[in-house]
Amino acid sequence: MPPSGTGPQVVYLIGHPVGHSLSPAMQNAAFLACGLAHRYEPRDVDPADLEAAVGSLRADGVLGANVTVPHKERILGLLDAVAGDALRIGAVNTIVREGTELLGENTDRGGFEAALRDARVDVAGKRVLVLGAGGAARAIVIALAASGARVAVANRTPDRARRLAEAFGVGAVAWPDESALAVDVVVNATSAGLYGEDPLAGMALPAGTAVVDIVPTAAETPLARRAREAGNTVVDGLLMLLHQAAASFRLWTGQDAPLEAMRAALPRVV
Ligand code: NDP
């Protein structure tokens, strides 16, 4: 749906914290490239203030919002409607205002699929190990299962991996040891890497295993760096960030995103 209202509007990024986010640079570059006077502003919202913050999005002058940790799941109950993918994933990362109504969407699945296409990684029929069982992992498992991959999920808290696997009809395995990494693709969908952690610390990566690390950081994550240095195929978290942002831009503006302008606003070439 095209946006409500005309003239310059604001898109908020609602999270806690939001200071480290790379989205404002990308989205503001996109507005500029399209000649739109909209602006994208991070807004740190404490969980106690989430309801009031959502209420304020209904005002004229607001085009929509992005939602990030820790609000992506709780916000579902505060919106007027939630799109099918976001309902299945159980998380909203994009809000579009239509009049005074707020529609919740999730662009993580599409962003992940587009990042794989962009990096020319084909997962059909391949063995894929997904690390993590949060909102991002759910979006990714849905995407992988729809692409015909043979998916297994592992999580630090194994019960969550089992529940996710049951919900989406994929396998659940124990947190991997080195031998379990001998698959076609490993996806890091945990938050380990955001502050320099390596979820597979101490484990060598088999030569043929492609690594998708969705953690989007200004500097390469330790996992992505050592995989790249060892010669493995690597899909960087910034690539998924770019494509999920492009999908959000399309939802707010009704226009195709200026992908290269957004890519150029990222801190590294991906
Ligand atoms: P959640 O908080 O919902 O889930 C976090 C997951 O990470 C849980 O499975 C948790 O395990 C696991 N985890 C946290 N710390 C560790 C650790 N030290 N070792 C192993 N596992 C750990 O987060 P999301 O699913 O929303 O996001 C996950 C990551 O994906 C974040 O870094 C986020 O920035 C990134 N992301 C990137 C996107 C992109 O476009 N590139 C889009 C969306 C998300 P447990 O259950 O045991 O707590």
Side-chain angles (χ1 to χ4, degrees):
M1 283 286 282
S4 323
T6 53
Q9 292 180 288
V10 62
V11 175
Y12 289 110
L13 168 64
I14 291 177
H16 184 67
V18 286
H20 64 283
S21 174
L22 302 169
S23 296
M26 254 190 314
Q27 296 292 2
N28 284 319
F31 290 142
L32 193 66
C34 292
L36 296 166
H38 303 320
R39 59 185 204 284
Y40 186 98
E41 282 183 10
R43 187 166 161 193
D44 197 314
V45 174
D46 189 272
D49 302 327
L50 183 61
E51 207 166 331
V54 170
S56 72
L57 299 178
R58 298 176 194 279
D60 283 345
V62 178
L63 191 57
N66 270 147
V67 186
T68 187
V69 179
H71 304 313
K72 287 169 92 165
E73 281 142 17
R74 209 185 115 207
I75 209 158
L76 256 82
L78 302 174
L79 304 174
D80 302 294
V82 177
D85 248 8
L87 268 183
R88 278 189 83 199
I89 296 165
V92 160
N93 77 336
T94 304
I95 296 173
V96 181
R97 181 179 71 87
E98 288 168 8
T100 58
E101 306 249 294
L102 300 177
L103 169 66
E105 300 262 5
N106 192 308
T107 64
D108 286 341
R109 172 192 174 169
F112 177 77
E113 290 168 340
L116 290 188
R117 274 197 305 277
D118 196 330
R120 296 189 171 77
V121 171
D122 181 9
V123 292
K126 303 280 173 59
R127 292 160 305 157
V128 183
L129 174 63
V130 177
L131 306 176
R138 289 197 297 275
I140 285 168
V141 165
I142 290 171
L144 289 169
S147 305
R150 291 145 61 198
V151 184
V153 184
N155 192 49
R156 181 178 62 178
T157 310
D159 237 25
R160 291 188 76 196
R162 265 197 299 277
R163 284 202 301 271
L164 188 158
E166 269 170 34
F168 298 115
V170 300
V173 292
W175 189 259
D177 57 19
E178 203 166 295
S179 67
L181 299 179
V183 291
D184 298 302
V185 183
V186 172
V187 181
N188 176 32
T190 75
S191 36
L194 218 45
Y195 303 104
E197 323 89 299
D198 183 339
L200 300 174
M203 295 183 217
L205 297 160
T209 302
V211 174
V212 184
D213 190 346
I214 73 157
V215 177
T217 42
E220 218 174 4
T221 63
L223 177 63
R225 187 176 58 242
R226 70 184 172 97
R228 181 179 51 76
E229 285 172 356
N232 296 65
T233 297
V234 175
V235 183
D236 196 290
L238 292 187
L239 202 56
M240 176 173 166
L241 189 76
L242 169 70
H243 287 289
Q244 62 80 32
S248 296
F249 180 93
R250 212 172 300 125
L251 289 169
W252 297 318
T253 65
Q255 309 185 14
D256 277 346
L259 203 59
E260 293 319 312
M262 297 174 85
R263 202 189 294 264
L266 288 168
R268 288 180 286 113
V269 178
V270 288

